[in-house]
Amino acid sequence: MKPFRYERADDVASAVATVTDDPRAAFLAGGTNLVDLMKMEVATPGVLVDVRHLVSHDIEDLPDGGLRIGAGVSNSMVAADRRIRRLYPMLSQAILAGASYQLRNLATAGGNFLQRTRCVYYRDIATPCNKREPGSGCSARGGHERDLAILGASEACAATHPSDMAVAMAAVDAVVHTQGPAGERTIPVNELLRLPGDEPWRDNVLERGELITAVDLPPLAVAANSRYRKVRDRASYAFALVSVAAAVEVADGLVRDVRLALGGVAHKPWRAFTAEQALLGAPATEENFHAAAEAELAGARPLPGNAFKVPLAANTIVSMLRALTEEAR
Amino acid sequence: MDVEILLRVDGKEHRLTVDTRTTLLDALRERLGNTSPKKGCDHGQCGACTVLMNGQRVTSCLVLAVAGEGAEIVTAEGLAEGDELHPVQRAFIAHDAFQCGYCTPGQVVSAVAMMREAQAGWPSVVTEDLDADVVVLDDREIAERMSGNLCRCAAYANIVPAIAEVARP
């Protein structure tokens, strides 16, 4: 690990100012990803500004029926929250499908969005990687492709976003609150995380020094009938090959509302807008589920080592929709 | 860069000066001589370094000592009351729930925390009814909830019954 200075700021504004003004500075919250990357010298901040005690550790009811999760709430507490278990079960399940209890007790709601890819080349400083070292090239294409993206990748980068929580957050149209050098703003989760394009080192749209302070879950009736399924190489404690967050509401045999998002397939949680559009108002049949999944994956550009993800994602979408609509019947 | 910190470990306070790069695990082992948390992977993947921090199990290898300042830390060593071992420790001995023993302190601390989480009604990813008030720690639940603790000797066949004996008396 490279030497660094550790600071506890007195308030969010001074933490933001420190990180804005010093390009070597970084925020520290749970540290489960950052400290690990520092050990491997993938991340080499010269200053760590500890913000965990500065941001809210509470989950509040919002007047519109939604919930506001403070950025400092641990992943464990989000997953265990009674309201979230009842109103947004796919979010509880997504979090519980990720990492271990030990890590979820440390990791925060805000930090979870900002964890870096687990692409093995990003984490190995001996190999070229455009995300870690802009312009150095991509070692992953033609290398270990199993974990790579099938949707929205670029020549420069085919890494996937590792979060399970963020997939469910994308499905419910969660919105993050931030405080940065230009003041406060809100950003929908679906716009917070980005595709790699020709700037794969930018995982998200946050400015230097901009801190996530809370996440809002909007009221969403369909989310009460939702599930998260994660397909992985071992039964627990592994990253997703493919994951699906799904919510569906059926009335008179027709799909009244639906939310679908995929994990493990792209540089960001992949909200399946095409499939949702195909399903809205359509009969809730196996045939339509297949057609919607195929429409969503029509744009997939798999590599030789991850082509299996295309049928895996389609089949997982279909089986989730089948299970959720059978339960609702 | 050196900083002075206060660590509360197994009921005792320690003031020490550490480099900011020191993890809680290294501070416990190398500076305080408490070698019950073990260094396995040092990347949060194996669970051998599990300790309780303010009552919750965490991987001490990913916590910077300076960030753990003031927190209440309990290691496997602190679970026993004097010579009286914790029920989970006794169950591990009774069931021979280890071979080399390197992962054992982490397993024991993790199991103690796991039972408290279940008592608080925390679900796991294999919990069928997410809304249930009471968690039944069957073998499947125990395996999932202990999946953050790896055993290279694969003593799981005895670890699960040891935990089950305490969890479902």
Side-chain angles (χ1 to χ4, degrees):
Chain A
M1 219 185 286
K2 301 284 188 194
F4 62 89
R5 196 173 76 236
Y6 171 90
E7 287 182 13
R8 281 194 197 192
D10 294 327
D11 50 42
V12 171
S14 59
V16 165
T18 302
V19 177
T20 302
D21 295 342
D22 187 344
R24 300 174 318 125
F27 295 121
L28 172 72
T32 52
N33 188 214
L34 180 57
V35 172
D36 189 28
L37 292 174
M38 288 168 67
K39 288 183 179 190
M40 297 182 291
E41 299 190 354
V42 172
T44 54
V47 182
L48 282 188
V49 182
D50 195 335
V51 293
R52 179 136 202 191
H53 59 294
L54 295 180
V55 287
S56 166
H57 289 205
D58 295 321
I59 303 176
E60 305 165 47
D61 292 303
L62 292 173
D64 65 2
L67 293 172
R68 176 163 298 165
I69 303 167
V73 180
S74 71
N75 286 193
S76 293
M77 296 311 287
V78 177
D81 186 273
R82 287 270 166 199
R83 294 160 292 183
I84 290 172
R85 285 153 65 178
R86 200 167 55 246
L87 300 172
Y88 311 91
M90 64 180 158
L91 177 56
S92 275
Q93 288 181 329
I95 293 170
L96 294 169
S100 64
Y101 281 84
Q102 287 98 316
L103 296 174
R104 298 197 294 270
N105 284 340
L106 287 169
T108 60
N112 190 310
F113 288 109
L114 307 181
Q115 55 178 313
R116 309 304 305 271
T117 184
R118 297 315 197 275
C119 177
V120 293
Y121 304 100
Y122 172 74
R123 292 165 63 82
D124 177 1
I125 60 170
T127 60
C129 168
N130 286 323
K131 182 180 281 296
R132 178 168 33 75
E133 213 178 314
S136 62
C138 173
S139 308
R141 284 173 185 275
H144 181 72
E145 296 176 335
R146 189 170 178 77
D147 304 327
L148 299 185
I150 54 171
L151 289 160
S154 67
E155 273 306 305
C157 183
T160 51
H161 194 267
S163 172
D164 293 292
M165 182 197 81
V167 177
M169 291 284 194
V172 303
D173 284 312
V175 174
V176 300
H177 290 253
T178 70
Q179 188 169 333
E184 296 178 19
R185 64 168 170 161
T186 57
I187 310 169
V189 166
N190 284 301
E191 293 163 29
L192 171 71
L193 300 166
R194 59 186 296 283
L195 293 176
D198 50 16
E199 292 181 309
W201 53 93
R202 290 180 60 213
D203 288 356
N204 56 64
V205 301
L206 298 178
E207 303 292 335
R208 161 147 285 282
E210 190 172 5
L211 181 69
I212 296 176
T213 54
V215 194
D216 283 0
L217 305 180
L220 185 69
V222 69
N225 185 41
S226 69
R227 289 284 181 277
Y228 185 79
R229 184 172 298 166
K230 181 174 183 179
V231 184
R232 41 186 162 175
D233 279 331
R234 59 184 185 197
S236 185
Y237 203 16
F239 288 92
L241 294 169
V242 165
S243 67
V244 175
V248 64
E249 188 183 321
V250 175
D252 304 325
L254 303 179
V255 175
R256 292 296 177 198
D257 201 0
V258 59
R259 293 288 189 283
L260 282 172
L262 307 179
V265 297
H267 195 259
K268 60 184 278 189
W270 189 268
R271 177 72 179 272
F273 289 113
T274 305
E276 289 179 13
Q277 279 307 314
L279 288 166
L280 263 183
T285 62
E286 184 94 5
E287 196 181 4
N288 285 339
F289 298 160
H290 272 288
E294 269 159 36
E296 187 64 51
L297 290 158
R301 297 288 176 270
L303 300 161
N306 69 359
F308 70 93
K309 285 189 178 184
V310 179
L312 183 59
N315 292 341
T316 309
I317 290 172
V318 172
S319 77
M320 292 289 283
L321 290 172
R322 187 194 299 134
L324 285 166
T325 51
E326 276 170 8
E327 275 171 32
R329 232 166 248 157
Chain B
M1 251 160 261
D2 284 349
V3 282
E4 199 185 307
I5 60 168
L6 171 77
L7 288 181
R8 298 171 204 274
V9 182
D10 296 334
K12 290 199 192 105
E13 292 195 352
H14 305 269
R15 284 193 183 282
L16 62 165
T17 302
V18 295
D19 185 289
T20 51
R21 291 172 288 185
T22 311
T23 61
L24 176 58
L25 173 63
D26 284 340
L28 290 169
R29 289 181 59 87
E30 310 295 335
R31 300 297 304 280
L32 302 182
N34 182 336
T35 53
S36 59
K38 300 289 188 274
K39 185 180 282 195
C41 69
D42 209 26
H43 290 283
Q45 296 172 6
C46 76
C49 67
T50 302
V51 301
L52 304 182
M53 188 161 85
N54 296 326
Q56 299 200 331
R57 49 176 164 161
V58 301
T59 45
S60 61
C61 73
L62 291 182
V63 177
L64 294 171
V66 63
E69 183 183 55
E72 201 71 53
I73 308 296
V74 176
T75 69
E77 197 174 298
L79 289 174
E81 303 237 2
D83 289 339
E84 181 81 4
L85 292 181
H86 188 280
V88 173
Q89 292 171 318
R90 290 204 300 270
F92 267 64
I93 294 169
H95 287 268
D96 198 16
F98 40 77
Q99 287 178 39
C100 81
Y102 197 76
C103 73
T104 309
Q107 299 274 4
V108 167
V109 172
S110 201
V112 169
M114 185 272 282
M115 285 183 246
R116 288 183 196 160
E117 291 159 3
Q119 244 166 5
W122 287 18
S124 84
V125 76
V126 301
T127 306
E128 296 290 342
D129 179 7
L130 264 191
D131 209 19
D133 290 321
V134 178
V135 173
V136 179
L137 287 175
D138 58 22
D139 287 358
R140 187 160 172 256
E141 283 278 5
I142 290 173
E144 164 58 26
R145 289 166 189 262
M146 292 298 294
S147 67
N149 291 80
L150 306 186
C151 173
R152 181 63 184 77
C153 308
Y156 304 110
N158 290 359
I159 291 172
V160 173
I163 295 170
E165 181 184 289
V166 184
R168 330 188 278 263

